[in-house]
PDB file of all heavy atoms in Angstrom:
ATOM      1  N   MET A 190     -26.882   8.743   4.807  1.00 95.00           N
ATOM      2  CA  MET A 190     -27.540   9.894   4.058  1.00 95.00           C
ATOM      3  C   MET A 190     -27.811   9.375   2.677  1.00 95.00           C
ATOM      4  O   MET A 190     -26.894   9.280   1.787  1.00 95.00           O
ATOM      5  CB  MET A 190     -26.727  11.113   4.048  1.00 95.00           C
ATOM      6  CG  MET A 190     -27.532  12.374   3.776  1.00 95.00           C
ATOM      7  SD  MET A 190     -26.547  13.890   4.099  1.00 95.00           S
ATOM      8  CE  MET A 190     -25.532  14.016   2.633  1.00 95.00           C
ATOM      9  N   SER A 191     -29.079   8.959   2.378  1.00 94.00           N
ATOM     10  CA  SER A 191     -29.366   8.260   1.138  1.00 94.00           C
ATOM     11  C   SER A 191     -29.133   9.047  -0.138  1.00 94.00           C
ATOM     12  O   SER A 191     -29.019   8.433  -1.208  1.00 94.00           O
ATOM     13  CB  SER A 191     -30.900   7.774   1.212  1.00 94.00           C
ATOM     14  OG  SER A 191     -31.736   8.834   1.349  1.00 94.00           O
ATOM     15  N   ASN A 192     -29.159  10.355  -0.121  1.00 95.00           N
ATOM     16  CA  ASN A 192     -28.994  11.162  -1.301  1.00 95.00           C
ATOM     17  C   ASN A 192     -27.577  11.600  -1.583  1.00 95.00           C
ATOM     18  O   ASN A 192     -27.310  12.402  -2.428  1.00 95.00           O
ATOM     19  CB  ASN A 192     -29.884  12.417  -1.218  1.00 95.00           C
ATOM     20  CG  ASN A 192     -29.445  13.415  -0.149  1.00 95.00           C
ATOM     21  OD1 ASN A 192     -28.795  13.002   0.855  1.00 95.00           O
ATOM     22  ND2 ASN A 192     -29.745  14.615  -0.289  1.00 95.00           N
ATOM     23  N   THR A 193     -26.582  11.016  -0.879  1.00 96.00           N
ATOM     24  CA  THR A 193     -25.189  11.314  -1.084  1.00 96.00           C
ATOM     25  C   THR A 193     -24.738  10.918  -2.515  1.00 96.00           C
ATOM     26  O   THR A 193     -25.084   9.841  -2.938  1.00 96.00           O
ATOM     27  CB  THR A 193     -24.263  10.651  -0.055  1.00 96.00           C
ATOM     28  OG1 THR A 193     -24.758  10.993   1.229  1.00 96.00           O
ATOM     29  CG2 THR A 193     -22.884  11.020  -0.217  1.00 96.00           C
ATOM     30  N   CYS A 194     -24.024  11.786  -3.180  1.00 97.00           N
ATOM     31  CA  CYS A 194     -23.506  11.502  -4.473  1.00 97.00           C
ATOM     32  C   CYS A 194     -22.076  10.829  -4.328  1.00 97.00           C
ATOM     33  O   CYS A 194     -21.169  11.485  -3.726  1.00 97.00           O
ATOM     34  CB  CYS A 194     -23.431  12.742  -5.378  1.00 97.00           C
ATOM     35  SG  CYS A 194     -22.667  12.472  -6.964  1.00 97.00           S
ATOM     36  N   PHE A 195     -21.950   9.649  -4.829  1.00 97.00           N
ATOM     37  CA  PHE A 195     -20.618   8.998  -4.715  1.00 97.00           C
ATOM     38  C   PHE A 195     -20.113   8.847  -6.204  1.00 97.00           C
ATOM     39  O   PHE A 195     -20.813   8.293  -7.066  1.00 97.00           O
ATOM     40  CB  PHE A 195     -20.736   7.577  -4.138  1.00 97.00           C
ATOM     41  CG  PHE A 195     -20.865   7.561  -2.646  1.00 97.00           C
ATOM     42  CD1 PHE A 195     -22.105   7.625  -2.019  1.00 97.00           C
ATOM     43  CD2 PHE A 195     -19.742   7.578  -1.862  1.00 97.00           C
ATOM     44  CE1 PHE A 195     -22.157   7.613  -0.607  1.00 97.00           C
ATOM     45  CE2 PHE A 195     -19.794   7.561  -0.501  1.00 97.00           C
ATOM     46  CZ  PHE A 195     -21.030   7.590   0.151  1.00 97.00           C
ATOM     47  N   VAL A 196     -18.865   9.254  -6.392  1.00 98.00           N
ATOM     48  CA  VAL A 196     -18.202   9.071  -7.702  1.00 98.00           C
ATOM     49  C   VAL A 196     -17.105   8.028  -7.407  1.00 98.00           C
ATOM     50  O   VAL A 196     -16.073   8.351  -6.809  1.00 98.00           O
ATOM     51  CB  VAL A 196     -17.624  10.380  -8.245  1.00 98.00           C
ATOM     52  CG1 VAL A 196     -16.907  10.125  -9.603  1.00 98.00           C
ATOM     53  CG2 VAL A 196     -18.668  11.460  -8.401  1.00 98.00           C
ATOM     54  N   VAL A 197     -17.357   6.812  -7.838  1.00 98.00           N
ATOM     55  CA  VAL A 197     -16.468   5.699  -7.521  1.00 98.00           C
ATOM     56  C   VAL A 197     -15.668   5.362  -8.812  1.00 98.00           C
ATOM     57  O   VAL A 197     -16.249   4.993  -9.817  1.00 98.00           O
ATOM     58  CB  VAL A 197     -17.243   4.482  -7.004  1.00 98.00           C
ATOM     59  CG1 VAL A 197     -16.256   3.383  -6.551  1.00 98.00           C
ATOM     60  CG2 VAL A 197     -18.121   4.859  -5.875  1.00 98.00           C
ATOM     61  N   TRP A 198     -14.343   5.345  -8.704  1.00 97.00           N
ATOM     62  CA  TRP A 198     -13.512   4.881  -9.793  1.00 97.00           C
ATOM     63  C   TRP A 198     -13.047   3.478  -9.494  1.00 97.00           C
ATOM     64  O   TRP A 198     -12.611   3.154  -8.437  1.00 97.00           O
ATOM     65  CB  TRP A 198     -12.299   5.830  -9.946  1.00 97.00           C
ATOM     66  CG  TRP A 198     -11.292   5.391 -10.990  1.00 97.00           C
ATOM     67  CD1 TRP A 198     -11.398   5.465 -12.351  1.00 97.00           C
ATOM     68  CD2 TRP A 198     -10.069   4.640 -10.787  1.00 97.00           C
ATOM     69  NE1 TRP A 198     -10.345   4.982 -12.975  1.00 97.00           N
ATOM     70  CE2 TRP A 198      -9.531   4.382 -12.057  1.00 97.00           C
ATOM     71  CE3 TRP A 198      -9.452   4.185  -9.623  1.00 97.00           C
ATOM     72  CZ2 TRP A 198      -8.299   3.688 -12.219  1.00 97.00           C
ATOM     73  CZ3 TRP A 198      -8.271   3.492  -9.800  1.00 97.00           C
ATOM     74  CH2 TRP A 198      -7.658   3.247 -11.058  1.00 97.00           C
ATOM     75  N   VAL A 199     -13.163   2.671 -10.572  1.00 97.00           N
ATOM     76  CA  VAL A 199     -12.704   1.256 -10.487  1.00 97.00           C
ATOM     77  C   VAL A 199     -11.844   0.999 -11.685  1.00 97.00           C
ATOM     78  O   VAL A 199     -12.218   1.302 -12.870  1.00 97.00           O
ATOM     79  CB  VAL A 199     -13.901   0.288 -10.506  1.00 97.00           C
ATOM     80  CG1 VAL A 199     -13.397  -1.161 -10.294  1.00 97.00           C
ATOM     81  CG2 VAL A 199     -14.897   0.652  -9.375  1.00 97.00           C
ATOM     82  N   PRO A 200     -10.649   0.430 -11.522  1.00 94.00           N
ATOM     83  CA  PRO A 200      -9.757   0.186 -12.635  1.00 94.00           C
ATOM     84  C   PRO A 200     -10.242  -0.827 -13.637  1.00 94.00           C
ATOM     85  O   PRO A 200     -10.925  -1.860 -13.182  1.00 94.00           O
ATOM     86  CB  PRO A 200      -8.377  -0.204 -12.006  1.00 94.00           C
ATOM     87  CG  PRO A 200      -8.812  -0.805 -10.764  1.00 94.00           C
ATOM     88  CD  PRO A 200     -10.033  -0.070 -10.303  1.00 94.00           C
ATOM     89  N   MET A 201     -10.045  -0.655 -14.918  1.00 93.00           N
ATOM     90  CA  MET A 201     -10.400  -1.651 -15.909  1.00 93.00           C
ATOM     91  C   MET A 201      -9.264  -2.628 -16.131  1.00 93.00           C
ATOM     92  O   MET A 201      -8.353  -2.345 -16.924  1.00 93.00           O
ATOM     93  CB  MET A 201     -10.867  -0.993 -17.204  1.00 93.00           C
ATOM     94  CG  MET A 201     -11.433  -1.938 -18.229  1.00 93.00           C
ATOM     95  SD  MET A 201     -12.006  -1.135 -19.716  1.00 93.00           S
ATOM     96  CE  MET A 201     -13.427  -0.252 -19.115  1.00 93.00           C
ATOM     97  N   VAL A 202      -9.202  -3.615 -15.284  1.00 90.00           N
ATOM     98  CA  VAL A 202      -8.170  -4.634 -15.327  1.00 90.00           C
ATOM     99  C   VAL A 202      -8.772  -6.015 -15.314  1.00 90.00           C
ATOM    100  O   VAL A 202      -9.981  -6.130 -14.917  1.00 90.00           O
ATOM    101  CB  VAL A 202      -7.169  -4.494 -14.104  1.00 90.00           C
ATOM    102  CG1 VAL A 202      -6.394  -3.182 -14.219  1.00 90.00           C
ATOM    103  CG2 VAL A 202      -7.963  -4.531 -12.762  1.00 90.00           C
ATOM    104  N   ALA A 203      -8.033  -7.027 -15.754  1.00 86.00           N
ATOM    105  CA  ALA A 203      -8.527  -8.382 -15.794  1.00 86.00           C
ATOM    106  C   ALA A 203      -8.442  -9.029 -14.376  1.00 86.00           C
ATOM    107  O   ALA A 203      -7.503  -9.732 -14.085  1.00 86.00           O
ATOM    108  CB  ALA A 203      -7.719  -9.195 -16.802  1.00 86.00           C
ATOM    109  N   ARG A 204      -9.398  -8.682 -13.599  1.00 88.00           N
ATOM    110  CA  ARG A 204      -9.459  -9.230 -12.218  1.00 88.00           C
ATOM    111  C   ARG A 204     -10.977  -9.469 -11.817  1.00 88.00           C
ATOM    112  O   ARG A 204     -11.788  -8.619 -12.088  1.00 88.00           O
ATOM    113  CB  ARG A 204      -8.835  -8.228 -11.211  1.00 88.00           C
ATOM    114  CG  ARG A 204      -8.662  -8.725  -9.869  1.00 88.00           C
ATOM    115  CD  ARG A 204      -7.989  -7.712  -8.989  1.00 88.00           C
ATOM    116  NE  ARG A 204      -6.586  -7.625  -9.225  1.00 88.00           N
ATOM    117  CZ  ARG A 204      -5.804  -6.791  -8.669  1.00 88.00           C
ATOM    118  NH1 ARG A 204      -6.221  -5.956  -7.754  1.00 88.00           N
ATOM    119  NH2 ARG A 204      -4.501  -6.766  -8.983  1.00 88.00           N
ATOM    120  N   TYR A 205     -11.202 -10.624 -11.211  1.00 91.00           N
ATOM    121  CA  TYR A 205     -12.512 -10.935 -10.827  1.00 91.00           C
ATOM    122  C   TYR A 205     -13.095  -9.925  -9.882  1.00 91.00           C
ATOM    123  O   TYR A 205     -14.330  -9.628  -9.906  1.00 91.00           O
ATOM    124  CB  TYR A 205     -12.568 -12.336 -10.179  1.00 91.00           C
ATOM    125  CG  TYR A 205     -13.825 -12.666  -9.434  1.00 91.00           C
ATOM    126  CD1 TYR A 205     -14.957 -13.003 -10.132  1.00 91.00           C
ATOM    127  CD2 TYR A 205     -13.855 -12.628  -8.091  1.00 91.00           C
ATOM    128  CE1 TYR A 205     -16.126 -13.343  -9.442  1.00 91.00           C
ATOM    129  CE2 TYR A 205     -15.015 -12.960  -7.331  1.00 91.00           C
ATOM    130  CZ  TYR A 205     -16.127 -13.270  -8.029  1.00 91.00           C
ATOM    131  OH  TYR A 205     -17.288 -13.601  -7.387  1.00 91.00           O
ATOM    132  N   ASP A 206     -12.324  -9.289  -9.023  1.00 94.00           N
ATOM    133  CA  ASP A 206     -12.839  -8.388  -8.006  1.00 94.00           C
ATOM    134  C   ASP A 206     -13.464  -7.149  -8.682  1.00 94.00           C
ATOM    135  O   ASP A 206     -14.303  -6.547  -8.040  1.00 94.00           O
ATOM    136  CB  ASP A 206     -11.691  -7.949  -7.106  1.00 94.00           C
ATOM    137  CG  ASP A 206     -10.942  -9.121  -6.435  1.00 94.00           C
ATOM    138  OD1 ASP A 206      -9.984  -9.602  -7.096  1.00 94.00           O
ATOM    139  OD2 ASP A 206     -11.335  -9.549  -5.355  1.00 94.00           O
ATOM    140  N   VAL A 207     -13.078  -6.823  -9.844  1.00 95.00           N
ATOM    141  CA  VAL A 207     -13.609  -5.597 -10.520  1.00 95.00           C
ATOM    142  C   VAL A 207     -15.067  -5.799 -10.794  1.00 95.00           C
ATOM    143  O   VAL A 207     -15.942  -4.940 -10.379  1.00 95.00           O
ATOM    144  CB  VAL A 207     -12.778  -5.302 -11.808  1.00 95.00           C
ATOM    145  CG1 VAL A 207     -13.510  -4.208 -12.632  1.00 95.00           C
ATOM    146  CG2 VAL A 207     -11.396  -4.918 -11.454  1.00 95.00           C
ATOM    147  N   GLU A 208     -15.438  -6.853 -11.540  1.00 94.00           N
ATOM    148  CA  GLU A 208     -16.801  -7.057 -11.888  1.00 94.00           C
ATOM    149  C   GLU A 208     -17.685  -7.322 -10.634  1.00 94.00           C
ATOM    150  O   GLU A 208     -18.820  -6.944 -10.561  1.00 94.00           O
ATOM    151  CB  GLU A 208     -16.981  -8.211 -12.875  1.00 94.00           C
ATOM    152  CG  GLU A 208     -16.526  -7.833 -14.288  1.00 94.00           C
ATOM    153  CD  GLU A 208     -17.345  -6.631 -14.842  1.00 94.00           C
ATOM    154  OE1 GLU A 208     -18.534  -6.537 -14.585  1.00 94.00           O
ATOM    155  OE2 GLU A 208     -16.765  -5.817 -15.563  1.00 94.00           O
ATOM    156  N   ARG A 209     -17.132  -7.971  -9.665  1.00 96.00           N
ATOM    157  CA  ARG A 209     -17.857  -8.237  -8.404  1.00 96.00           C
ATOM    158  C   ARG A 209     -18.156  -6.987  -7.715  1.00 96.00           C
ATOM    159  O   ARG A 209     -19.319  -6.787  -7.176  1.00 96.00           O
ATOM    160  CB  ARG A 209     -17.015  -9.176  -7.529  1.00 96.00           C
ATOM    161  CG  ARG A 209     -17.671  -9.565  -6.234  1.00 96.00           C
ATOM    162  CD  ARG A 209     -16.901 -10.591  -5.515  1.00 96.00           C
ATOM    163  NE  ARG A 209     -17.600 -11.079  -4.245  1.00 96.00           N
ATOM    164  CZ  ARG A 209     -17.322 -10.513  -3.030  1.00 96.00           C
ATOM    165  NH1 ARG A 209     -16.429  -9.539  -2.936  1.00 96.00           N
ATOM    166  NH2 ARG A 209     -17.988 -10.895  -1.962  1.00 96.00           N
ATOM    167  N   LEU A 210     -17.209  -6.058  -7.653  1.00 97.00           N
ATOM    168  CA  LEU A 210     -17.465  -4.772  -6.954  1.00 97.00           C
ATOM    169  C   LEU A 210     -18.533  -3.994  -7.775  1.00 97.00           C
ATOM    170  O   LEU A 210     -19.433  -3.398  -7.116  1.00 97.00           O
ATOM    171  CB  LEU A 210     -16.170  -3.992  -6.883  1.00 97.00           C
ATOM    172  CG  LEU A 210     -16.335  -2.488  -6.395  1.00 97.00           C
ATOM    173  CD1 LEU A 210     -16.900  -2.528  -4.959  1.00 97.00           C
ATOM    174  CD2 LEU A 210     -14.959  -1.811  -6.365  1.00 97.00           C
ATOM    175  N   LEU A 211     -18.449  -3.954  -9.086  1.00 96.00           N
ATOM    176  CA  LEU A 211     -19.415  -3.191  -9.865  1.00 96.00           C
ATOM    177  C   LEU A 211     -20.833  -3.746  -9.688  1.00 96.00           C
ATOM    178  O   LEU A 211     -21.770  -2.976  -9.510  1.00 96.00           O
ATOM    179  CB  LEU A 211     -18.991  -3.164 -11.308  1.00 96.00           C
ATOM    180  CG  LEU A 211     -17.768  -2.394 -11.693  1.00 96.00           C
ATOM    181  CD1 LEU A 211     -17.312  -2.665 -13.139  1.00 96.00           C
ATOM    182  CD2 LEU A 211     -17.957  -0.890 -11.498  1.00 96.00           C
ATOM    183  N   LYS A 212     -20.924  -5.063  -9.634  1.00 95.00           N
ATOM    184  CA  LYS A 212     -22.293  -5.688  -9.414  1.00 95.00           C
ATOM    185  C   LYS A 212     -22.819  -5.404  -8.043  1.00 95.00           C
ATOM    186  O   LYS A 212     -24.004  -5.062  -7.907  1.00 95.00           O
ATOM    187  CB  LYS A 212     -22.188  -7.122  -9.685  1.00 95.00           C
ATOM    188  CG  LYS A 212     -21.983  -7.514 -11.171  1.00 95.00           C
ATOM    189  CD  LYS A 212     -21.915  -9.047 -11.333  1.00 95.00           C
ATOM    190  CE  LYS A 212     -21.695  -9.410 -12.865  1.00 95.00           C
ATOM    191  NZ  LYS A 212     -21.616 -10.889 -13.004  1.00 95.00           N
ATOM    192  N   ARG A 213     -21.956  -5.422  -7.096  1.00 96.00           N
ATOM    193  CA  ARG A 213     -22.443  -5.165  -5.746  1.00 96.00           C
ATOM    194  C   ARG A 213     -22.841  -3.687  -5.538  1.00 96.00           C
ATOM    195  O   ARG A 213     -23.843  -3.382  -4.892  1.00 96.00           O
ATOM    196  CB  ARG A 213     -21.322  -5.498  -4.711  1.00 96.00           C
ATOM    197  CG  ARG A 213     -20.999  -6.953  -4.689  1.00 96.00           C
ATOM    198  CD  ARG A 213     -19.863  -7.270  -3.661  1.00 96.00           C
ATOM    199  NE  ARG A 213     -20.321  -7.225  -2.305  1.00 96.00           N
ATOM    200  CZ  ARG A 213     -19.591  -7.223  -1.240  1.00 96.00           C
ATOM    201  NH1 ARG A 213     -18.237  -7.242  -1.413  1.00 96.00           N
ATOM    202  NH2 ARG A 213     -20.031  -7.138  -0.039  1.00 96.00           N
ATOM    203  N   LEU A 214     -22.020  -2.803  -6.122  1.00 96.00           N
ATOM    204  CA  LEU A 214     -22.469  -1.366  -6.082  1.00 96.00           C
ATOM    205  C   LEU A 214     -23.805  -1.074  -6.814  1.00 96.00           C
ATOM    206  O   LEU A 214     -24.592  -0.307  -6.339  1.00 96.00           O
ATOM    207  CB  LEU A 214     -21.306  -0.523  -6.663  1.00 96.00           C
ATOM    208  CG  LEU A 214     -20.014  -0.426  -5.891  1.00 96.00           C
ATOM    209  CD1 LEU A 214     -18.932   0.282  -6.674  1.00 96.00           C
ATOM    210  CD2 LEU A 214     -20.210   0.244  -4.564  1.00 96.00           C
TER     211      LEU A 214
END
Side-chain angles (χ1 to χ4, degrees):
M190 199 168 79
S191 60
N192 66 334
T193 305
C194 177
F195 283 93
V196 181
V197 185
W198 176 78
V199 184
M201 189 176 289
V202 293
R204 183 178 291 177
Y205 166 75
D206 306 88
V207 171
E208 285 301 324
R209 181 172 182 266
L210 173 60
L211 291 171
K212 289 180 180 179
R213 295 179 74 191
L214 290 173

